[in-house]
Amino acid sequence: MKLYQEATEQAESCNRGGFNRSQTTMRIAIGGILHETSSFVQTTTTLSDFQHASGIARGDEMIERFRGTNVCSGGFVDRLEEEGGVEIVPLLRASAFPGGLIDATDYAAIKSDLLERLAEAERTGGPVDGVLLDLHGAMVVEGIDDADGDMTVAVRDAIGPKRPIVVTYDLHGNHTSLRVKSATAVVGFDTFPHVDMSERGREAAEIVLATIRGEMAPVGAIHKLPMFWATRKQVTTHPPMDDVIRRVHEIEQRPGIICMTIATGFAWSDVPDVGSSVIVVADGDEELAQATADEFGEWVWENRQTWFSAPVSVREGLDAGHAVGEYPIMLADHCDNTGGGSPGDSTEVLRTFLELGLEDALVLYLVDPEVAVQAHEAGAGQSITVSLGGKSDPIQGPAVDCTAEVVALTTGEFAYDGPMLSGLSGSMGLSAWLRVEGVNVVVVTAREQPFDMAFSRTLGIDCSRMKYICVKSAAHFRAAFEPLAGSIHNVDAAGIHTHRFEDLVFQNRKRDMFPVEIAPEES
């Protein structure tokens, strides 16, 4: 947890050069557009995708939908409501499942909606004193590489240079100098899986409140790192990433430091600034912010071999699980992580399970709307002949032609109850539990990763009874599944989002990267 509260509690109630609100009631606007954009999938993210996923919450609906939930906007609302003497000015929050480049016209429409609501709020109620933005950090629009920076600049242009804008970001942002300079402060997640989103939203609200009161004058700096950080080495409760976060928190204890963000980047956005970074926010001292960001960034770079991990095949992952001898053995099919925008229909793990004749095996989830419809048309208890998966791209592998039993069906509605998205509802669309020999496959329509076991339970699946579980996820599943797992192994099955970074064909990145052009040490 970040430690800025101690500093703000001890701060003197005086204006130290920033924006100062002297009247009793503050007006703080909240809003955001969130998307993790993959340049390597051949789909376009449109307005309908935003409307389908978490939807677009406008005005007061934002407060009602996100109050008490574990997202940054929920943290904004909860902290500002606790404060008293604050009028929350809700604009809009738009979020879509990760996917391909956002359509430029649709992005412009959502952005204009947010800005028009801000302008209208100021026309009718007077100037807002500050803005809290809930963004992702890896949003790319057709023709706009740095859409998060574009969004922040647009709000900055709307409210001028003095009023504070505090932005929350995912751990997987490809950060730029533009977004750091246009915001007053940047607050990044401390956890992966992201179980601290509400906490980071509350932190951002604390910073904006203290800035408005004149108790601090945040200024940020960035240190960029030419590095792709291995997913296996990012889980913040495990070595070596736990040491990274511990050091971040130690630095946040230093005098003059408000907060610090380590971003591991998102390798599948083909943008000039792709890669990892360190952002430091200091109190009125840009030189301190830059020196601290450089200090930590240089430590990360010097230890770059620590954040590298060689690929692991599906069978190697299974062998490692059998060597541990505890069940269920969990395979994270992170090259087909729908949470990063992958299609979710790769078939290598499924084919391996079937080839090995595994029993009590489970795949969560295989995205295949055609088979989901076929299962619903047949009905529960029936057998159907299907071609499972492998429909989006040849890289995802061939479809698995087989006969499957339709065990259970659902329209896909459920409520998250795990640590990560508790309080939010979800929909997987038409979905089915199929059984192929000893392998159970949950076929879904929506491209969403298994954050917890709530959706599986709606189909009657007890994950604890399985011996093998494959999840199309990189790490978020751990928040709910790790206590259940005998062992967990990230595997590099065939998929568009390969973690063999040398196989990704970039057009826009400007620099050599570790571990591609800058080679790792030989083991």
Side-chain angles (χ1 to χ4, degrees):
M1 179 178 178
K2 299 198 185 281
L3 302 168
Y4 68 93
Q5 288 103 327
E6 294 178 9
T8 58
E9 288 168 0
Q10 297 168 4
E12 297 176 356
S13 298
C14 61
N15 188 343
R16 293 157 52 194
F19 177 76
N20 186 26
R21 178 71 165 192
S22 58
Q23 64 195 66
T24 303
T25 302
M26 299 182 193
R27 302 185 76 229
I28 300 177
I30 63 172
I33 305 174
L34 298 96
H35 192 252
E36 188 172 53
T37 307
S38 169
S39 306
F40 294 94
V41 295
Q42 302 305 309
T43 57
T44 300
T45 300
T46 66
L47 184 61
S48 63
D49 293 301
F50 283 92
Q51 293 166 334
H52 170 76
S54 300
I56 304 176
R58 297 177 171 89
D60 289 340
E61 183 187 0
M62 271 191 72
I63 297 175
E64 296 306 315
R65 183 182 297 185
F66 297 111
R67 179 190 288 120
T69 62
N70 186 25
V71 294
C72 291
S73 291
F76 297 164
V77 171
D78 294 346
R79 180 62 190 91
L80 295 179
E81 287 188 333
E82 289 172 4
E83 179 66 15
V86 174
E87 179 188 352
I88 303 175
V89 181
L91 306 175
L92 70 79
R93 182 185 187 274
S95 175
F97 294 137
L101 294 177
I102 302 172
D103 178 85
T105 301
D106 289 351
Y107 167 73
I110 300 170
K111 174 178 146 183
S112 295
D113 193 350
L114 185 150
L115 294 173
E116 287 167 7
R117 288 174 178 277
L118 176 59
E120 178 63 19
E122 297 207 304
R123 280 194 296 268
T124 58
V128 300
D129 297 296
V131 179
L132 290 164
L133 287 179
D134 185 354
L135 303 179
H136 181 277
M139 180 167 66
V140 188
V141 174
E142 294 172 339
I144 307 175
D145 289 332
D146 182 12
D148 296 281
D150 177 78
M151 190 67 243
T152 309
V153 167
V155 175
R156 175 57 71 202
D157 289 345
I159 70 170
K162 291 187 178 180
R163 288 179 280 174
I165 300 171
V166 181
V167 185
T168 55
Y169 282 119
D170 192 286
L171 183 78
H172 299 106
N174 295 316
H175 291 309
T176 67
S177 299
L178 176 66
R179 61 183 71 166
V180 174
K181 295 300 181 184
S182 56
T184 306
V186 164
V187 177
F189 298 174
D190 283 353
T191 62
F192 185 43
H194 304 326
V195 295
D196 68 331
M197 292 181 287
S198 174
E199 188 177 355
R200 298 286 71 77
R202 295 175 70 94
E203 177 182 2
E206 290 274 3
I207 293 173
V208 85
L209 289 168
T211 305
I212 292 168
R213 295 188 188 109
E215 296 169 354
M216 61 171 59
V219 59
I222 185 171
H223 182 101
K224 301 177 188 178
L225 292 158
M227 184 172 72
F228 294 131
W229 200 307
T231 299
R232 293 183 185 86
K233 300 297 185 76
Q234 293 183 33
V235 178
T236 51
T237 55
H238 293 258
M241 196 67 184
D242 59 346
D243 184 49
V244 176
I245 300 303
R246 179 185 61 79
R247 289 171 182 265
V248 166
H249 291 169
E250 287 176 352
I251 289 174
E252 288 174 331
Q253 297 259 28
R254 296 179 184 177
I257 301 299
I258 296 172
C259 63
M260 181 173 175
T261 293
I262 179 72
T264 56
F266 184 68
W268 302 276
S269 289
D270 183 9
V271 295
D273 288 281
V274 64
S276 308
S277 61
V278 177
I279 299 172
V280 173
V281 179
D283 192 357
D285 190 338
E286 187 172 0
E287 289 186 2
L288 174 63
Q290 190 64 65
T292 307
D294 292 343
E295 172 197 337
F296 195 73
E298 289 164 6
W299 175 82
V300 171
W301 181 248
E302 288 169 2
N303 290 278
R304 59 190 176 276
Q305 187 69 27
T306 307
W307 329 124
F308 169 75
S309 178
V312 174
S313 72
V314 177
R315 296 206 179 209
E316 286 172 340
L318 286 170
D319 289 344
H322 289 138
V324 173
E326 297 181 5
Y327 296 90
I329 296 169
M330 294 199 69
L331 301 186
D333 186 4
H334 62 192
C335 297
D336 194 31
N337 172 24
T338 51
S342 284
D345 68 345
S346 71
T347 56
E348 183 177 349
V349 176
L350 173 59
R351 282 186 282 109
T352 302
F353 281 4
L354 291 170
E355 288 167 4
L356 294 176
L358 299 184
E359 297 289 332
D360 297 322
L362 174 65
V363 177
L364 300 175
Y365 312 114
L366 190 73
V367 179
D368 195 328
E370 293 177 23
V371 171
V373 169
Q374 190 177 348
H376 276 258
E377 289 176 345
Q382 301 301 307
S383 291
I384 55 177
T385 300
V386 294
S387 290
L388 273 174
K391 297 180 174 68
S392 65
D393 192 294
I395 295 174
Q396 297 287 98
V400 175
D401 296 324
C402 58
T403 298
E405 175 193 356
V406 181
V407 182
L409 300 166
T410 175
T411 57
E413 306 302 315
F414 72 106
Y416 292 103
D417 59 13
M420 187 166 168
L421 295 179
S422 58
L424 294 179
S425 60
S427 176
M428 302 306 299
L430 284 185
S431 302
W433 171 11
L434 305 183
R435 183 177 290 126
V436 184
E437 300 172 11
V439 180
N440 302 278
V441 185
V442 175
V443 175
V444 299
T445 297
R447 288 184 302 102
E448 183 61 285
Q449 62 182 307
F451 291 106
D452 59 34
M453 291 171 265
F455 179 64
S456 295
R457 286 195 297 272
T458 67
L459 285 162
I461 297 173
D462 181 353
C463 293
S464 68
R465 299 178 67 86
M466 298 294 167
K467 292 186 66 178
Y468 304 91
I469 302 175
C470 167
V471 288
K472 291 187 178 292
S473 176
H476 286 328
F477 71 94
R478 286 177 177 264
F481 283 88
E482 192 157 25
L484 169 73
S487 60
I488 297 175
H489 311 273
N490 282 55
V491 295
D492 294 81
I496 290 176
H497 276 199
T498 179
H499 286 231
R500 294 177 171 87
F501 301 117
E502 65 275 11
D503 292 342
L504 295 172
V505 180
F506 288 91
Q507 303 295 328
N508 297 312
R509 70 175 170 94
K510 304 295 187 184
R511 55 189 176 173
D512 291 346
M513 300 288 286
F514 175 85
V516 183
E517 294 86 4
I518 303 170
E521 298 173 7
E522 294 185 8
S523 56

